[in-house]
Amino acid sequence: MNTQHERISILGLGAMGHALASALLEAGREVTVWNRTPGKAGELVARGARDALSVEEAIEAGDLTVACLLDDASVRDTLAPVARQLTDETIVNLTSGSVRQARELAGWLKESGARFLAGGIMAVPPTVGTEGAFILYSGARDVFDRIAPVLGPIGLPHWAGEDPGFAALYDMAALSGMYGMGAGADHAVALVHAEGGNVETFKREVLRPWMEQMLAITVDGADVSESVPDEYNPAMQATGLENILSASGEAGVPADLAGHLRASLWRMRRAVAAG
Ligand code: FVH
């Protein structure tokens, strides 16, 4: 089938689902959208999207259906009632989740007779469809080969392997790297703040250029082994790390990067609880 003429249905019009639909419309694709809470499709409909009244209608309207919902449970909630309609349908799940969830969903959809691809979106809503955005996919290679050009406008398709859990694996691992970087940055500004420095100036003039300079070296140096290559000069690195711990102790800032991750989680949970 001609890529341009494949009809795409999007389940979920949160910030990300909306951005996906928008990028596909922009590229001239035929798009149908569905959202649990009605009334979110207005601008997309004005640009040519069809607003489905039910999940059944959305799946029926598309040659392939993309789910972009909150979590694995919401995907199950949405697809379980229409399980019998899924035979021979192509479902691409771009909802974030764990490796196990992706494998289990793949198994369940296979039993339902659907063709399935799991995905992970390496973009945020404003960067969907822009240079640098890419989408991880894993599952059946023939499904990937078919849908990659169709969904190309949302981000560069990246094949992560036949195991349906691998898109989630790479997604979660990459997010861990990102949040770890964030935890390091949180710790850095906490130190500067505790010692009376100007956080904004520090971020702009020191932290950002330094992290940009060190990004490739940090990623290339990531390792699971206990050994340290000689060229890393372990004695110098050990002194450097001791200096950070001393500076943290003097400033009264816990040098516990996992603690910064937990603090971020609690900050998000408090925001959710506050509505
Ligand atoms: N936004 C981002 O920056 C990240 C970037 C990387 C990928 N993530 C993942 O994308 C999924 C969707 O994220 P989102 O930003 O669109 O999330 P929300 O704006 O909160 O929208 C959530 C949608 O899910 C629907 N929904 C929630 N629960 C259910 C349910 N039980 N049954 C059916 N639909 C459900 C919700 O519908 P409604 O509340 O409007 O009725 C929204 O459409 C996510 O996995 C990210 O991790 C985004």
Side-chain angles (χ1 to χ4, degrees), residues 34 52 54-61 81-82 85:
W34 170 86
S54 65
V55 181
E56 290 92 326
E57 185 188 330
I59 292 174
E60 177 68 34
V82 296
Q85 194 195 333

Side-chain angles (χ1 to χ4, degrees), residues 13-16 35-37 40 69-70 74 77-78 95-96 123 125:
L13 288 182
M16 186 48 89
N35 194 63
R36 176 183 62 173
T37 307
K40 290 198 173 174
L69 302 165
L70 182 63
S74 51
D77 286 352
T78 303
T95 306
S96 304

Side-chain angles (χ1 to χ4, degrees), residues 1-9 24 27-32 61-64 146 149-151 153:
M1 185 169 298
N2 184 323
T3 297
Q4 273 291 336
H5 294 122
E6 288 228 20
R7 299 165 303 159
I8 305 161
S9 290
L24 291 166
R29 300 287 192 270
E30 195 178 324
V31 177
T32 295
D63 296 309
L64 74 102
R146 187 190 128 213
V150 182
L151 296 180

Side-chain angles (χ1 to χ4, degrees), residues 95-133:
T95 306
S96 304
S98 73
V99 177
R100 181 180 54 77
Q101 287 169 343
R103 287 176 179 152
E104 288 179 0
L105 184 68
W108 177 71
L109 284 169
K110 194 174 174 189
E111 279 170 26
S112 303
R115 288 181 284 267
F116 175 62
L117 215 53
I121 303 173
M122 305 313 291
V124 291
T127 65
V128 165
T130 64
E131 201 186 335

